[in-house]
Amino acid sequence: MKIKQTIDRVPGGLMVVPLLAGALFNTIDQLHLPFIMDLLKSLGVAPNEDGNYEFMKIGGFTQALFKDGASTLCALFLFCAGSQMNLRVGGKALKKGVLLTSSKYLAGFAIGMIWGILSDPVHGFLGLSTMAIIAAMTNGNGGMFAALTGQYGNRSDVGATAILSLNDGPFFTLMALGMMGANFPLIAFIAVLLPILIGMLLGNLDHEIRNFLAAGETLVIPFFAFALGAGMNLASFFNPEVVGAGVVLALMTVLISGGTMALTFKLFREKSIIAPWAEASTAGNAVATPAAIAAAATVASGSGLMSAADAEVYHGLVAIASAQISISTITTAFLVPIAVILADKYQRRRGIDGKVEFHNEVQTSEVKTSIEENLG
């Protein structure tokens, strides 16, 4: 059976498919079907607080991995992802990475803030929260970016991936919410950022450690995705509000963040706009951001800087925000390659080849060659 190949055919499949599988198992569990509960009772499973028996809560390693392991596995993912953040990048790649990361972040932050002001930061238009918007719009699919810039872009476009990896994880979203007034203490930021920083430090000090941890960045994803799904009900994915909100979120991510990044490139005199459109996606790992923000809210509540009621609001958003971001991930995976192809055709008609690194040098060389041929 070619299970892995089938999963890979689904946009963001390594994250989305296990997430849906976890939601499916949890949905069945929540139905409390008599024959399943009778089977579990006969096997000696302890009842829950409400007296029901659930397969996802049988205890032991099974519950620890598939039901309760989301936070730990997400932290491990952030550690491994941090180890792959290469600080040794070329000047042009560094410039492009900074431009893309900052403009994508500012676009997501601005839309999230405006959305919250005009409607409601928790349950705004279409049921979109500020947290979901910022999480989806500020975190791009690094694998898709590398693939698209490798095909349509140049070396410095691909090299910008090293800087773009900084937007992996919930830190930027947490920082944005803090700037918008959420009372997260400094320790909440440190608690989220520390695994990334330690991984980054080790990965840049020793390339063998980086290579060793590289597999973990991908390997952990389906496990924490399943555990996240195990806290959702599959019915939420068929909720028109969730589907509609997810599609709108995807369109905003592609059109607004992509347009902002392309405009930024033009302002800083970059000829090719392949990289901005290649980054105009929602990453699969952004689905884990709401859960990470909820964990930070718990820390804030424990320190007294946030009320228990406010912390509970973030916990209540995890399921619906994760579902909306999942739909945005799938939708942008279809839209972004189309946007890159259209951008490539557009700039080629204007004499710009995305694969060329320095267009001025190329144009000078072509003029020189033309003059020599005419004189010859």
Side-chain angles (χ1 to χ4, degrees):
M1 295 179 66
K2 297 182 179 180
I3 299 174
K4 178 64 164 57
Q5 289 184 15
T6 303
I7 292 175
D8 287 340
R9 292 192 187 101
V10 179
L14 203 59
M15 181 79 191
V16 173
V17 173
L19 183 85
L20 292 174
L24 174 61
F25 274 95
N26 186 60
T27 302
I28 295 172
D29 251 354
Q30 298 307 310
L31 292 175
H32 299 136
L33 300 174
F35 75 94
I36 293 180
M37 291 206 298
D38 289 342
L39 174 62
L40 294 174
K41 184 177 180 180
S42 67
L43 292 174
V45 176
N48 298 332
E49 297 81 1
D50 56 6
N52 293 307
Y53 298 85
E54 297 180 8
F55 177 74
M56 301 292 289
K57 293 184 177 180
I58 62 175
F61 295 137
T62 299
Q63 182 173 337
L65 178 62
F66 296 115
K67 183 70 174 181
D68 301 334
S71 295
T72 301
L73 291 168
C74 185
L76 178 58
F77 163 76
L78 293 175
F79 181 88
C80 293
S83 71
Q84 306 307 303
M85 296 179 184
N86 190 350
L87 299 180
R88 301 181 183 90
V89 294
K92 196 166 180 63
L94 175 63
K95 174 191 173 184
K96 289 183 176 180
V98 170
L99 291 178
L100 291 171
T101 302
S102 57
S103 56
K104 185 175 176 68
Y105 174 73
L106 289 174
F109 175 71
I111 295 300
M113 183 171 63
I114 293 170
W115 199 277
I117 291 173
L118 295 180
S119 55
D120 186 304
V122 179
H123 300 291
F125 297 132
L126 302 175
L128 276 172
S129 63
T130 296
M131 178 179 69
I133 293 172
I134 296 174
M137 292 188 66
T138 60
N139 194 343
N141 188 326
M144 180 183 295
F145 176 85
L148 290 172
T149 53
Q151 183 175 355
Y152 295 96
N154 51 55
R155 289 182 181 178
S156 61
D157 288 338
V158 178
T161 307
I163 303 300
L164 288 171
S165 60
L166 294 173
N167 68 22
D168 285 343
F171 180 69
F172 279 175
T173 306
L174 187 65
M175 186 170 65
L177 294 174
M179 288 189 291
M180 293 173 67
N183 292 320
F184 292 105
L186 179 60
I187 191 61
F189 289 86
I190 295 174
V192 170
L193 189 59
L194 196 57
I196 303 175
L197 289 178
I198 295 175
M200 186 189 302
L201 177 65
L202 292 174
N204 281 275
L205 288 176
D206 188 345
H207 72 278
E208 291 186 2
I209 291 180
R210 171 178 295 176
N211 293 338
F212 171 73
L213 293 173
E217 188 178 16
T218 303
L219 180 63
V220 178
I221 290 176
F223 292 96
F224 81 70
F226 187 96
L228 282 175
M232 303 179 189
N233 192 304
L234 196 60
S236 63
F237 287 89
F238 299 98
N239 183 339
E241 182 182 74
V242 172
V243 175
V247 172
V248 169
L249 190 54
L251 291 173
M252 291 194 301
T253 301
V254 175
L255 297 176
I256 298 178
S257 74
T260 301
M261 288 185 287
L263 178 61
T264 302
F265 260 43
K266 289 298 184 182
L267 291 174
F268 283 84
R269 301 183 182 280
E270 291 293 337
K271 295 290 185 181
S272 175
I273 55 171
I274 293 299
W277 292 109
E279 177 62 7
S281 62
T282 298
N285 56 44
V287 178
T289 296
I293 298 298
T298 300
V299 175
S301 176
S303 66
L305 290 180
M306 182 181 292
S307 68
D310 288 340
E312 188 59 34
V313 169
Y314 287 103
H315 283 275
L317 285 174
V318 171
I320 190 169
S322 299
Q324 291 166 340
I325 295 170
S326 295
I327 293 169
S328 181
T329 298
I330 296 171
T331 308
T332 56
F334 285 111
L335 295 178
V336 166
I338 296 173
V340 170
I341 292 170
L342 292 176
D344 183 58
K345 290 182 177 179
Y346 170 82
Q347 63 185 27
R348 281 184 182 276
R349 287 197 298 267
R350 285 155 177 77
I352 300 173
D353 184 353
K355 291 182 174 295
V356 175
E357 189 72 62
F358 299 101
H359 287 84
N360 290 336
E361 290 183 9
V362 173
Q363 292 167 359
T364 302
S365 176
E366 289 175 349
V367 171
K368 182 178 179 182
T369 301
S370 177
I371 293 173
E372 290 174 349
E373 288 176 351
N374 290 333
L375 291 175

